[in-house]
Amino acid sequence: SQKIEQNSEALNIQEGKTATLTCNYTNYSPAYLQWYRQDPGRGPVFLLLIRENEKEKRKERLKVTFDTTLKQSLFHITASQPADSATYLCALQKYNQGGKLIFGQGTELSVKP
Amino acid sequence: ETGVTQTPRHLVMGMTNKKSLKCEQHLGHNAMYWYKQSAKKPLELMFVYSLEERVENNSVPSRFSPECPNSSHLFLHLHTLQPEDSALYLCASSQEPLLAGGYNEQFFGPGTRLTVL
């Protein structure tokens, strides 16, 4: 069965450092991979989408890579700030499955001042 | 904030009660979704409505009954729930992916925290 795994442990880093979160998947061939941010008690918020034929995507301090050979995506936050503390979710989507997103369990990031 | 509102934000119900969750989107989208989020588990897709037709029912028990009267509103009717149904129920909306290039970003509401006693 298809499976998505994100860093199971919470990630604690110092302000100003780069946070790197991992999303690995098996038994799935996504056309798109999305990253969302979720704060406690709130719904997820879309951050970035990357297509299967793209290696890397950037948006301000965020960078996402997508390696379909390794079946892995890395999500980087550079110059991290305490306000970046949240849970980050990756989600996979196939081209012909409409809006069906398959989510990972999320990685909790804590950025200490 | 995201253009998707959900009511109520919190709900406590007994196993014999009947209640409904409401979702409204103000974004002009034509696809809407219900997700269940339990502690330490991934979001589970429950139902998908596209252009007001149900296109996905992800093996959800019949005690959950969705309704989509128009493209802006989505309901989840609940009856004879079990304690294990306690979770955060999230509504989301998007443009219909097949009309938007094959993919979609989804806009989520704040969720309804449901507790079943």
Side-chain angles (χ1 to χ4, degrees):
Chain A
S1 62
Q2 57 204 30
K3 194 173 178 182
I4 304 171
E5 286 192 359
Q6 297 187 242
N7 311 57
S8 56
E9 303 281 332
L11 188 61
N12 297 302
I13 65 167
Q14 205 67 32
E15 182 176 9
K17 300 292 185 184
T18 296
T20 299
L21 285 67
T22 304
C23 177
N24 294 298
Y25 58 93
T26 56
N27 298 323
Y28 204 77
S29 297
Y32 313 99
L33 190 146
Q34 302 185 24
W35 284 89
Y36 287 78
R37 168 184 173 143
Q38 187 174 22
D39 291 282
R42 305 183 77 168
V45 175
F46 172 80
L47 296 175
L48 278 170
L49 177 147
I50 188 166
R51 296 173 177 78
E52 62 178 338
N53 59 354
E54 295 177 318
K55 298 292 185 188
E56 182 180 299
K57 200 103 177 252
R58 292 176 185 259
K59 179 182 176 182
E60 299 173 350
R61 293 184 297 111
L62 309 180
K63 184 178 88 171
V64 173
T65 63
F66 193 10
D67 188 327
T68 54
T69 302
L70 291 178
K71 295 186 181 294
Q72 181 182 78
S73 175
L74 298 178
F75 177 80
H76 306 273
I77 306 175
T78 58
S80 59
Q81 305 165 0
D84 295 326
S85 299
T87 296
Y88 291 86
L89 311 173
C90 71
L92 307 182
Q93 184 175 23
K94 287 190 174 182
Y95 180 80
N96 62 350
Q97 289 193 348
K100 184 173 180 178
L101 287 177
I102 309 297
F103 279 88
Q105 82 276 20
T107 297
E108 186 178 346
L109 173 67
S110 178
V111 181
K112 305 293 185 188
Chain B
E1 299 168 5
T2 64
V4 181
T5 58
Q6 290 187 244
T7 55
R9 294 293 309 276
H10 301 271
L11 179 62
V12 179
M13 58 188 289
M15 290 191 286
T16 58
N17 292 158
K18 287 185 180 181
K19 296 286 184 183
S20 295
L21 309 185
K22 179 183 176 183
C23 176
E24 184 173 0
Q25 59 95 2
H26 309 273
L27 300 168
H29 289 158
N30 46 27
M32 296 187 78
Y33 314 82
W34 279 117
Y35 288 88
K36 175 183 179 183
Q37 188 174 36
S38 304
K40 303 299 181 185
K41 292 178 72 174
L43 270 76
E44 300 172 49
L45 180 65
M46 299 175 72
F47 301 104
V48 179
Y49 276 84
S50 176
L51 304 171
E52 299 167 34
E53 285 193 25
R54 191 191 309 181
V55 296
E56 182 83 22
N57 177 346
N58 222 16
S59 303
V60 179
S62 59
R63 57 185 183 269
F64 295 91
S65 175
E67 179 189 1
C68 186
N70 55 61
S71 60
S72 299
H73 294 87
L74 186 65
F75 295 88
L76 188 62
H77 305 297
L78 316 171
H79 64 98
T80 55
L81 294 192
Q82 305 298 311
E84 60 264 29
D85 297 323
S86 299
L88 181 68
Y89 287 85
L90 291 159
C91 172
S93 73
S94 75
Q95 292 296 348
E96 212 303 313
L98 294 179
L99 302 176
Y103 62 89
N104 63 339
E105 61 174 279
Q106 295 185 10
F107 293 77
F108 285 82
T112 295
R113 174 66 62 186
L114 174 67
T115 302
V116 182
L117 302 176

